[in-house]
């Protein structure tokens, strides 16, 4: 069975569970050995875990240019057919295949749809900094796995005046969560590392680390327009996870 067939993505749904599909896209694109793929891909079975911690961040860096386009489509309230035409036929995201474009668009849409159109405007029309921080807020809301890493691990590094964020802390964090939450999926090393790649790329894009080689930490002041939106919409948990340097 092809990976795209193993996990169905509903392109016409406004609220889609895209985490498994994104895992498929990136792992299949980069690996040919089926033994390295998650069990959901090898068997065609989806782990319907009750845990809030899911593989919903893999392959999902902030992707600012693509997210601006997706935010524009959402603000235009396009029909399902117009969405498909823009993403797959017109290839507005400029991806290598319609399938890749559709899967990435589904992830970005699901991330943005955790927020309201006011934030979509910040993404589409805001400065690079404002749009990036708006996308960071949406990523935190969309992925508890990512949000808790900020809240528990990154915050502790700043609190204890550490200068870097060693990559090994990601693996230790995932292992701790799996011991803490019996319903959380158990991922192999390849999947855990792929999730970590996305998390550290997001931290780089948003300015919390200087690069993905030294992992040096630096404080970030969140754009005022984003904080104002989050306060107005009572997104206090997201604000807490954004302000890990305080």
């Amino acid at each position: 069975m092809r990976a795209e067939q193993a996990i169905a993505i509903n392109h016409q749904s406004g609220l889609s569970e895209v985490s498994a599909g994104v895992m498929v896209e990136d792992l299949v694109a980069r690996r040919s050995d089926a033994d390295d793929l998650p069990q959901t891909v090898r068997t065609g079975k989806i782990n319907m875990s009750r845990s809030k911690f899911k593989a919903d961040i893999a392959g999902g860096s902030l992707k600012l240019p693509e997210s601006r386009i997706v935010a524009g489509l959402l603000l235009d309230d396009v029909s399902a057919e117009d969405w498909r035409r823009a993403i797959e036929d017109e290839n507005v995201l400029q991806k290598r295949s319609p399938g890749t474009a559709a899967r990435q668009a589904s992830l970005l849409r699901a991330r943005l749809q955790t927020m309201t159109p006011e934030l979509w405007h910040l993404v589409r029309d805001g400065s690079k900094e404002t749009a990036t921080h708006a996308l960071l807020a949406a990523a935190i809301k969309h992925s508890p796995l990512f949000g808790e890493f900020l809240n528990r691990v990154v915050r502790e590094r700043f609190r204890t005046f550490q200068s870097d964020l060693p990559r090994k802390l990601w693996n230790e964090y995932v292992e701790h969560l799996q011991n803490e939450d019996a319903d959380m999926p158990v991922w192999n090393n390849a999947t855990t590392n792929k999730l970590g790649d996305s998390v550290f790329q997001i931290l780089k894009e948003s300015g919390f680390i200087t690069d993905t080689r030294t992992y040096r930490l630096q404080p970030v002041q969140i754009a005022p327009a984003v904080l104002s939106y989050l306060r107005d919409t009572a997104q206090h948990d997201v604000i807490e996870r954004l302000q890990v340097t305080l």
Side-chain angles (χ1 to χ4, degrees):
M1 176 181 291
R2 292 182 59 198
E4 291 87 344
Q5 295 170 327
I7 298 174
I9 301 292
N10 184 348
H11 299 275
Q12 299 184 17
S13 170
L15 295 172
S16 61
E17 278 282 328
V18 300
S19 59
V22 175
M23 286 302 303
V24 172
E25 174 191 352
D26 283 276
L27 289 173
V28 170
R30 296 169 183 260
R31 296 183 179 274
S32 58
D33 185 352
D35 290 337
D36 287 338
L37 296 177
Q39 185 178 9
T40 53
V41 179
R42 296 197 307 268
T43 66
K45 297 178 181 178
I46 298 176
N47 182 350
M48 301 302 290
S49 170
R50 292 172 295 176
S51 174
K52 67 179 180 178
F53 300 116
K54 297 176 170 57
D56 49 10
I57 200 74
S61 60
L62 296 181
K63 293 181 168 43
L64 176 57
E66 296 92 333
S67 294
R68 287 191 191 271
I69 293 169
V70 170
L73 292 172
L74 290 172
L75 287 167
D76 290 342
D77 195 23
V78 298
S79 68
E81 176 56 27
D82 286 342
W83 172 275
R84 187 204 62 76
R85 183 181 301 111
I87 299 300
E88 299 185 26
D89 295 344
E90 299 174 9
N91 193 22
V92 293
L93 301 186
Q94 298 184 10
K95 300 303 169 183
R96 290 178 295 179
S97 71
T100 297
R103 285 188 293 273
Q104 187 168 110
S106 292
L107 168 64
L108 299 180
R109 176 173 60 181
R111 187 180 284 170
L112 288 169
Q113 285 183 321
T114 63
M115 301 295 187
T116 63
E118 287 76 15
L119 184 120
W120 305 347
H121 278 287
L122 295 179
V123 172
R124 187 188 68 180
D125 304 326
S127 66
K128 180 179 180 181
E129 178 185 79
T130 296
T132 296
H133 293 169
L135 289 172
L136 179 63
I140 290 170
K141 184 71 175 290
H142 180 248
S143 175
L145 183 70
F146 173 53
E148 280 302 297
F149 183 70
L150 283 169
N151 196 40
R152 300 187 189 192
V153 180
V154 179
R155 181 185 304 280
E156 180 65 11
R157 298 297 287 181
F158 278 111
R159 189 188 70 80
T160 55
F161 303 103
Q162 303 300 314
S163 62
D164 63 352
L165 185 70
R167 179 61 187 259
K168 68 178 182 178
L169 294 179
W170 169 256
N171 298 75
E172 292 173 1
Y173 162 74
V174 171
E175 182 178 357
H176 177 77
L177 287 184
Q178 289 171 335
N179 291 331
E180 177 184 292
D181 184 352
D183 291 325
M184 183 176 167
V186 177
W187 301 310
N188 62 25
N189 289 336
T191 298
T192 300
N193 289 333
K194 186 71 183 111
L195 292 166
D197 289 344
S198 294
V199 165
F200 278 83
Q201 184 62 32
I202 288 175
L203 292 175
K204 177 181 178 294
E205 290 174 336
S206 54
F208 282 102
I209 58 175
T210 57
D211 57 69
T212 53
R213 291 181 295 103
T214 65
Y215 306 113
R216 186 160 298 279
L217 283 168
Q218 58 185 7
V220 174
Q221 288 193 334
I222 302 302
V226 174
L227 289 177
S228 178
Y229 164 81
L230 294 171
R231 292 188 185 105
D232 290 346
T233 53
Q235 307 264 6
H236 304 301
D237 287 349
V238 177
I239 293 174
E240 182 180 21
R241 284 153 178 76
L242 282 172
Q243 296 186 316
V244 292
T245 61
L246 299 182

